[in-house]
Amino acid sequence: MAISDGSESLAAADSISGLNVESDPNVPTLRRRHATSDADADALASDSENLSKDSGDRSSEDSPSSDADRDSCMDTGNGPSDSANSIMDDGAEEEKPPRGDKSGVEYAMKLTYRASSPAHRKVKESPLSSSNIFKQSHAGLFNLCVVVLVAVNSRLIIENLMKYGWLIKTGFWFSSRSLRDWPLFMCCLSLPIFPLAAFLVEKLAQQKYLSEPVIVCCHVFITSVSILYPVLVILRCDSAVLFGVALMLFACIVWLKLVSYAHTNYDMRSLSKSLAEGNSASDSVVVELPYCVQFNALVYFMVAPTLCYQLSYPLTPCIRKGWVLRQVIKLILFTGVMGFIVEQYINPIVQNSQHPLKGNFLYAIERVLKLSVPNLYVWLCMFYCFFHLWLNILAELLCFGDREFYRDWWNAKTVEEYWRMWNMPVHKWMVRHIYFPCLRNGIPKGAAIVIAFLVSAIFHELCIAVPCHVFKLWAFIGIMFQVPLVLITSFLQNKFQSSMVGNMIFWFIFCILGQPMCVLLYYHDLMNRKGSLID
């Protein structure tokens, strides 16, 4: 009958696959469904025949197949043994099928005795061990930190509002007193005169109306006036500090761009002369960077989010208007967060504190630590608003393709790594127009680094001391103090060979100790100056 035929086929399949369920008392007996009709019996016989064929093919194959396929081939019923095997397979590592001389019988026995298979096969580290921590994804821990920060700071904000009330003044964004700063605004509008003068000099140089010494002198005069003119306007006007800082930042950007424009054109003129004299070594460079003075290229460079001039830049195909709108909304929101933290937290702390160098040492440390948290939040918001939101918005509107405005500076293990990664436009400018020219002129590498920090210190002092009308050189000293910090953090990193130690030292020195101290110093010097003017 058909039923007996089906049973014989199943027995044959069991003998082929190596599962002799009758002779081995340790193997649990598999429950099989009995066919109740000729159609069911035929289907059962067909499945058994396919099973025996698959088992024979698997014993002769050299290439591996997935565990899911093998489990489906060995499935002869819906008994409890199938579900037990699937449960045990969930927590175990995947078995690879036998290769070469290993038979399918041995592999089938391994599946049968799954509970006794090895659970530990490799030497593995814990995910949070020092050697493995940076190889794992910590997105979940990051989300937890965000949730904790939101919860803790929400409670502090509510407590602060209940205790002190709303401290933000109505004239924080704009007031009638801001109209007195119109000289700064007019100075800002007149700064494009200097790029136009630099273009005229380069155009005359291209037509060979000016000699090389005259061209260099003209560019030195133009760049010098472009930075001294805003300084004189700010010093003559008793303007708000915020507007003075904005004007000085804009003037410094114009100065850096003009230096890059003059330096790049000087190099391209030199390469063109070398090519005209028959120097074949410069052929490929001249083809890549032809000496050509174009007004459109200068205009694009002056508004592009870069400080390094070149005739062409990598471009994106289109402008994503919806994306730009979302970034603008984020920019407005985070700017409001910065204003709230400054007015509600930082101003009351610095107003109720003494000068850090004229009071009790422990009191000064307490004020610095209390100021460090809101100052860190403002600094992070500033970085996000300017380097990520604003520069990306500007790049999107101009289809500017290279948007590496920063790297993962938060993972910096030394102070040197931080300065190389946190402000890529300035870093590329320093390398291109300060560091490499110093090396080409025979200056040692260490001296070239010191010169780069010296230039950075001068401009930090200009952007802070000039708007505050306070020349105590705190910003200059703070930047130059980075040079010994570079040596110290590099030494500690090499000694401990631990990225976590170096990163913690960086965060403590730069954000917990350095910035709050500078804020307190400049604030009290500014208040003392205003008090002396009133007296």
Side-chain angles (χ1 to χ4, degrees):
M1 293 178 63
I3 295 178
S4 62
D5 294 337
S7 302
E8 293 172 359
S9 300
L10 283 173
D14 289 342
S15 63
I16 292 174
S17 60
L19 296 176
N20 193 351
V21 296
E22 295 180 357
S23 60
D24 193 348
N26 295 325
V27 180
T29 303
L30 300 177
R31 296 180 181 178
R32 297 184 178 86
R33 292 173 300 177
H34 294 283
T36 57
S37 63
D38 293 340
D40 293 338
D42 293 338
L44 188 60
S46 177
D47 292 340
S48 302
E49 184 178 357
N50 292 334
L51 175 63
S52 61
K53 182 179 179 180
D54 291 341
S55 301
D57 293 340
R58 187 168 56 251
S59 63
S60 61
E61 280 184 349
D62 291 333
S63 59
S65 59
S66 63
D67 286 343
D69 294 338
R70 292 191 205 94
D71 292 340
S72 63
C73 292
M74 295 298 295
D75 187 12
T76 58
N78 294 328
S81 61
D82 301 311
S83 60
N85 287 336
S86 64
I87 292 174
M88 288 186 291
D89 287 344
D90 288 339
E93 194 172 339
E94 286 188 356
E95 285 272 352
K96 292 187 177 181
R99 295 174 178 267
D101 298 335
K102 291 185 178 181
S103 63
V105 176
E106 296 177 357
Y107 183 72
M109 292 301 293
K110 286 184 179 180
L111 292 182
T112 303
Y113 297 101
R114 189 66 173 175
S116 60
S117 62
H120 308 283
R121 293 184 174 90
K122 298 179 181 179
V123 177
K124 297 180 181 179
E125 294 285 345
S126 298
L128 295 180
S129 61
S130 59
S131 61
N132 205 29
I133 187 171
F134 292 109
K135 299 178 182 179
Q136 308 292 328
S137 173
H138 303 292
L141 293 177
F142 176 79
N143 293 335
L144 174 63
C145 292
V146 171
V147 171
V148 172
L149 284 174
V150 171
V152 172
N153 288 282
S154 298
R155 183 192 67 81
L156 293 176
I157 290 173
I158 295 173
E159 182 181 355
N160 181 272
L161 291 175
M162 294 173 61
K163 187 175 182 180
Y164 301 104
W166 188 262
L167 300 179
I168 298 178
K169 302 179 180 62
T170 56
F172 175 75
W173 299 104
F174 180 80
S175 66
S176 58
R177 296 180 59 191
S178 302
L179 296 176
R180 68 181 181 180
D181 295 321
W182 66 268
L184 276 65
F185 181 71
M186 297 304 297
C187 176
C188 184
L189 292 181
S190 60
L191 285 180
I193 296 176
F194 301 102
L196 180 60
F199 170 76
L200 294 177
V201 170
E202 288 298 326
K203 202 66 177 176
L204 293 175
Q206 184 183 21
Q207 298 175 359
K208 298 182 180 180
Y209 290 148
L210 299 176
S211 62
E212 198 64 44
V214 175
I215 297 172
V216 173
C217 292
C218 289
H219 280 302
V220 170
F221 176 78
I222 292 171
T223 53
S224 300
V225 174
S226 67
I227 197 68
L228 293 177
Y229 169 52
V231 170
L232 294 177
V233 172
I234 293 174
L235 293 179
R236 288 181 62 88
C237 302
D238 188 16
S239 59
V241 175
L242 183 62
F243 292 102
V245 171
L247 176 59
M248 283 308 305
L249 286 175
F250 187 57
C252 290
I253 292 173
V254 171
W255 187 89
L256 294 172
K257 285 178 177 283
L258 289 178
V259 170
S260 179
Y261 181 72
H263 195 177
T264 304
N265 282 313
Y266 174 83
D267 285 346
M268 289 192 295
R269 278 197 308 272
S270 300
L271 292 171
S272 298
K273 290 180 180 179
S274 299
L275 180 64
E277 294 173 358
N279 188 358
S280 59
S282 60
D283 290 356
S284 59
V285 183
V286 174
V287 172
E288 217 175 288
L289 294 172
Y291 177 57
C292 181
V293 180
Q294 298 177 359
F295 184 73
N296 293 337
L298 176 60
V299 172
Y300 184 86
F301 167 62
M302 295 305 298
V303 295
T306 180
L307 299 175
C308 296
Y309 173 73
Q310 57 193 60
L311 290 175
S312 62
Y313 298 92
L315 301 176
T316 56
C318 62
I319 299 175
R320 298 170 292 177
K321 298 179 181 179
W323 183 87
V324 171
L325 179 61
R326 291 194 297 271
Q327 305 309 308
V328 170
I329 294 174
K330 291 180 184 179
L331 182 62
I332 296 173
L333 291 177
F334 277 93
T335 303
V337 170
M338 279 195 297
F340 174 79
I341 296 175
V342 169
E343 288 289 305
Q344 193 73 22
Y345 291 94
I346 294 182
N347 278 349
I349 292 175
V350 296
Q351 289 173 3
N352 298 325
S353 62
Q354 300 177 359
H355 197 285
L357 299 182
K358 298 179 181 179
N360 191 335
F361 177 74
L362 292 179
Y363 175 82
I365 294 297
E366 187 272 336
R367 290 286 95 182
V368 169
L369 293 178
K370 188 174 183 179
L371 185 61
S372 62
V373 175
N375 181 82
L376 178 60
Y377 288 163
V378 171
W379 182 64
L380 292 176
C381 288
M382 180 275 301
F383 165 80
Y384 184 73
C385 287
F386 183 76
F387 287 96
H388 183 73
L389 295 177
W390 169 245
L391 291 183
N392 273 289
I393 290 172
L394 189 60
E396 186 70 22
L397 294 176
L398 297 173
C399 296
F400 190 82
D402 186 4
R403 303 183 185 183
E404 191 187 35
F405 305 121
Y406 57 91
R407 293 179 182 171
D408 56 335
W409 56 266
W410 45 88
N411 293 326
K413 298 180 285 294
T414 63
V415 174
E416 180 187 5
E417 285 191 13
Y418 166 76
W419 286 108
R420 284 193 287 106
M421 295 190 297
W422 99 283
N423 189 343
M424 292 307 296
V426 172
H427 171 69
K428 292 176 181 177
W429 187 93
M430 286 286 184
V431 171
R432 190 184 188 196
H433 301 291
I434 299 293
Y435 183 73
F436 282 144
C438 289
L439 295 183
R440 285 196 297 268
N441 286 277
I443 298 176
K445 179 179 178 181
I449 295 176
V450 173
I451 292 174
F453 273 104
L454 179 63
V455 174
S456 177
I458 292 173
F459 280 95
H460 276 80
E461 183 69 22
L462 287 176
C463 291
I464 300 177
V466 172
C468 294
H469 300 263
V470 175
F471 298 94
K472 294 294 184 69
L473 300 179
W474 299 126
F476 181 86
I477 295 173
I479 297 300
M480 293 307 297
F481 187 66
Q482 305 298 310
V483 177
L485 285 180
V486 168
L487 301 177
I488 294 172
T489 54
S490 299
F491 170 77
L492 293 175
Q493 175 64 23
N494 295 330
K495 182 177 181 180
F496 291 102
Q497 293 294 325
S498 173
S499 57
M500 295 181 63
V501 172
N503 188 254
M504 292 172 63
I505 293 174
F506 152 72
W507 279 112
F508 178 79
I509 293 176
F510 198 82
C511 297
I512 305 300
L513 184 62
Q515 293 186 17
M517 180 64 74
C518 287
V519 171
L520 288 176
L521 289 171
Y522 272 106
Y523 174 80
H524 285 286
D525 289 338
L526 180 62
M527 290 298 102
N528 293 335
R529 172 185 171 272
K530 289 185 177 181
S532 62
L533 291 177
I534 293 175
D535 295 340

